[in-house]
Amino acid sequence: MKTPDDLEFPPDFFDPPATRPDSWPDNPVLRRAVDWLKSFIPPEEWKQRRERAARRLYLSAMGRTDKLSDGRFFDTRDSFGWYLFLAEALLDHIGNYDYVFGSRVVPVFQAIGRDLHLLQQVGGIKQRVRRMVTKDRAQPNGSLFELLVAACYRRAGAQVDFVEERPGKAPTHDMDITLNGQTWAVECKRMEVGEYGERERLQIGKLWGGCGQQLANIERNTLCRVSFRIEIPSVPSDYMYAKVHRWLASGQSNMVWDDDISSGEISELDLRPLQKVLATDFVLGSSMRILELLTGRYLRHANYRTMLRTKPGDNPRYVDACDLAVVLHWESLAEAATDAKARDIRKKLSEATAQLPDGRPSIVHIGFEAVEGDRVERLRYEKIMATARQFNPAGKQLEYVYCHYFVPESPPDECWAFDETTQWCAINKSQPRPLGDIFLVLPAAADNRTGPHWQE
């Protein structure tokens, strides 16, 4: 691999291993989904999209980002190409795999591969997938969610047909399903992570950026943990600077505080656990593994900001050595912040109901990633039930609402992990509930709990 200005990939960069080691077995279920989805893209086009995804990933690892990148590893204009690139990488060129983002993608693709024989019997499936990989490549999450819902009904024995869209004409629902002699209209809505959390992260950058840079400039390995009691935009702009200055002036190895704004601790960070591992292994720079080695623990969906001075390996995404680290672990405990992030389904439910036909029993499925923390998801669960019980479908024959909480996770010792919580609420209930098992990603054979993921 050459310099960032002259980035070229070797001819075998995307090839599978000549001999697959026992530690990296093939995954036929995932491969079925990848091969099927790639079949909707001309081979030359896929090669170009795959190389663009890899180029963006590696230039980002080298710190070579442009104004359009927004700090992301991938081009949001082709999110589907990025998803497919990650799934293929886990199968055949794992050095290109991103563990954090892959945990959001691979379980969904694997669920599609597991039920591919059922999905291929769905009416209109080819047109729906073709639209996802081309016209809707920037926003494929909604289409992927529709595939998961369609597969769920097929597993229950339903006939499923996607409804042809009529742009510029009357709105249409997503699919018709017939189960046990009853026909239903089904509409699916996929919610994305809200803007409030992103605003928090931007504000943390302003509060901590100068402090972290100062600590890096004086080469002080530092670990700072902060739990904010008030909304982060309300924190004084010099608040974290004052904490860092007070700690440095004290001459102590650590300092603890507890005031009306936050509680926290700042201390010297011990690099030896990371350096011991790096003496024999490479560690992916943007991974939960390196954060676990730096902080001493792994926390699901925790928030970090890091400044690391590292020596890259032959693969620039992996760290060969590290001699300086400044790490901030932060969380927002303010009730107002939790409430803002626990977005309700009211808007999506209203949008979905507007697309339902008149005079037909109907169902709405709403899915979202539950990655804002257990406190947020616990409150969201309560909000959703309250909204659904009070919801007025405005004359539509809406019978049931199903909600699907997707919980991707990137443990330090696994390629991915995935959890799922479901809930349902009857609205009109003139018909028996059509689905009992409504898990979309977790297989039926999995040891699924009865309660939500935050009750583990």
Side-chain angles (χ1 to χ4, degrees):
M1 193 176 295
K2 297 186 179 182
T3 64
D5 294 322
D6 194 16
L7 185 61
E8 294 181 4
F9 300 114
D12 62 349
F13 193 69
F14 303 107
D15 291 349
T19 302
R20 187 174 290 274
D22 293 339
S23 59
W24 182 21
D26 194 18
N27 185 334
V29 174
L30 178 61
R31 190 174 294 279
R32 276 202 299 272
V34 169
D35 289 346
W36 181 59
L37 293 169
K38 283 166 61 174
S39 72
F40 291 88
I41 306 173
E44 275 306 310
E45 179 186 333
W46 169 238
K47 289 180 181 178
Q48 293 171 7
R49 291 170 71 174
R50 179 177 62 184
E51 182 163 321
R52 283 198 296 267
R55 186 176 300 278
R56 175 69 165 266
L57 177 65
Y58 278 90
L59 290 178
S60 177
M62 296 171 179
R64 302 278 300 186
T65 56
D66 56 34
K67 294 180 180 180
L68 298 176
S69 69
D70 194 26
R72 296 178 186 269
F73 290 166
F74 65 99
D75 186 350
T76 55
R77 294 169 297 184
D78 189 13
S79 295
F80 179 80
W82 167 242
Y83 291 4
L84 192 55
F85 168 80
L86 290 174
E88 187 192 82
L90 184 58
L91 288 170
D92 291 334
H93 39 95
I94 199 168
N96 301 323
Y97 181 67
D98 181 76
Y99 289 79
V100 174
F101 215 104
S103 69
R104 301 170 62 186
V105 173
V106 170
V108 172
F109 277 39
Q110 185 154 299
I112 290 171
R114 188 169 58 243
D115 290 326
L116 183 56
H117 62 295
L118 298 175
L119 280 170
Q120 288 175 320
Q121 300 168 23
V122 171
I125 186 74
K126 291 184 178 179
Q127 295 91 326
R128 192 60 56 115
V129 174
R130 192 171 292 113
R131 187 189 72 187
M132 175 177 66
V133 306
T134 55
K135 178 183 175 182
D136 292 345
R137 67 175 69 183
Q139 296 178 317
N141 289 341
S143 297
L144 289 169
F145 182 56
E146 292 169 10
L147 297 185
L148 295 175
V149 171
C152 186
Y153 282 106
R154 288 290 297 121
R155 289 196 302 273
Q159 175 183 330
V160 181
D161 296 280
F162 281 111
V163 176
E164 184 177 355
E165 292 185 320
R166 295 180 293 176
K169 299 181 180 179
T172 57
H173 55 289
D174 287 317
M175 63 188 85
D176 291 321
I177 71 109
T178 302
L179 181 62
N180 299 325
Q182 176 64 56
T183 299
W184 304 78
V186 176
E187 175 65 17
C188 304
K189 290 294 182 185
R190 179 68 155 77
M191 291 173 58
E192 301 299 336
V193 177
E195 296 179 359
Y196 187 92
E198 183 59 29
R199 289 198 299 270
E200 278 192 330
R201 285 182 277 276
L202 291 174
Q203 186 62 26
I204 284 292
K206 296 176 182 178
L207 290 170
W208 179 253
C211 307
Q213 190 61 58
Q214 178 188 7
L215 291 165
N217 289 342
I218 63 174
E219 303 200 353
R220 187 75 176 263
N221 293 311
T222 305
L223 173 60
C224 182
R225 304 183 192 273
V226 190
S227 298
F228 291 99
R229 293 193 170 96
I230 67 173
E231 290 186 272
I232 291 174
S234 300
V235 176
S237 59
D238 62 347
Y239 179 78
M240 291 307 303
Y241 176 82
K243 299 299 183 189
V244 170
H245 180 73
R246 180 179 151 205
W247 174 57
L248 292 174
S250 73
Q252 302 297 312
S253 62
N254 74 297
M255 182 186 80
V256 178
W257 73 88
D258 191 353
D259 56 39
D260 292 340
I261 294 176
S262 77
S263 62
E265 178 180 10
I266 185 168
S267 60
E268 294 179 355
L269 189 152
D270 185 1
L271 285 181
R272 287 175 296 179
L274 172 61
Q275 291 173 338
K276 181 179 179 181
V277 172
L278 292 177
T280 57
D281 297 297
F282 294 108
V283 177
L284 186 64
S286 57
S287 68
M288 291 298 106
R289 175 60 171 152
I290 199 167
L291 287 169
E292 179 192 42
L293 291 168
L294 287 169
T295 66
R297 54 178 151 166
Y298 165 68
L299 297 171
R300 181 172 68 179
H301 303 150
N303 297 304
Y304 293 96
R305 289 189 70 89
T306 62
M307 291 185 181
L308 308 179
R309 186 167 66 195
T310 62
K311 174 187 174 184
D314 293 337
N315 184 326
R317 299 180 59 228
Y318 284 78
V319 174
D320 183 35
C322 176
D323 64 359
L324 177 64
V326 177
V327 180
L328 170 69
H329 170 214
W330 63 273
E331 61 179 347
S332 175
L333 303 180
E335 289 186 10
T338 301
D339 184 71
K341 285 182 280 191
R343 291 190 307 147
D344 194 7
I345 63 168
R346 187 180 302 276
K347 181 180 179 181
K348 286 293 183 183
L349 185 53
S350 297
E351 292 173 357
T353 303
Q355 293 183 245
L356 297 175
D358 294 324
R360 287 184 56 189
S362 303
I363 302 166
V364 168
H365 290 262
I366 298 177
F368 44 84
E369 285 187 340
V371 295
E372 298 273 19
D374 291 350
R375 295 173 72 252
V376 170
E377 303 310 331
R378 189 181 300 111
L379 178 59
R380 192 202 306 270
Y381 191 93
E382 296 169 359
K383 280 186 174 183
I384 286 174
M385 293 306 295
T387 292
R389 291 189 183 109
Q390 300 169 8
F391 184 72
N392 181 359
K396 300 294 179 70
Q397 197 176 334
L398 176 59
E399 301 281 330
Y400 296 96
V401 176
Y402 291 104
C403 291
H404 308 268
Y405 298 65
F406 300 135
V407 193
E409 187 175 356
S410 177
D413 56 350
E414 297 180 74
C415 288
W416 58 268
F418 200 89
D419 210 338
E420 187 174 357
T421 288
T422 62
Q423 69 184 133
W424 64 274
C425 186
I427 306 299
N428 287 323
K429 200 180 179 180
S430 68
Q431 304 289 336
R433 185 161 61 104
L435 290 175
D437 179 6
I438 58 172
F439 285 102
L440 302 185
V441 176
L442 297 182
D447 185 18
N448 297 333
R449 83 178 75 75
T450 56
H453 62 272
W454 57 81
Q455 289 181 358
E456 285 186 300

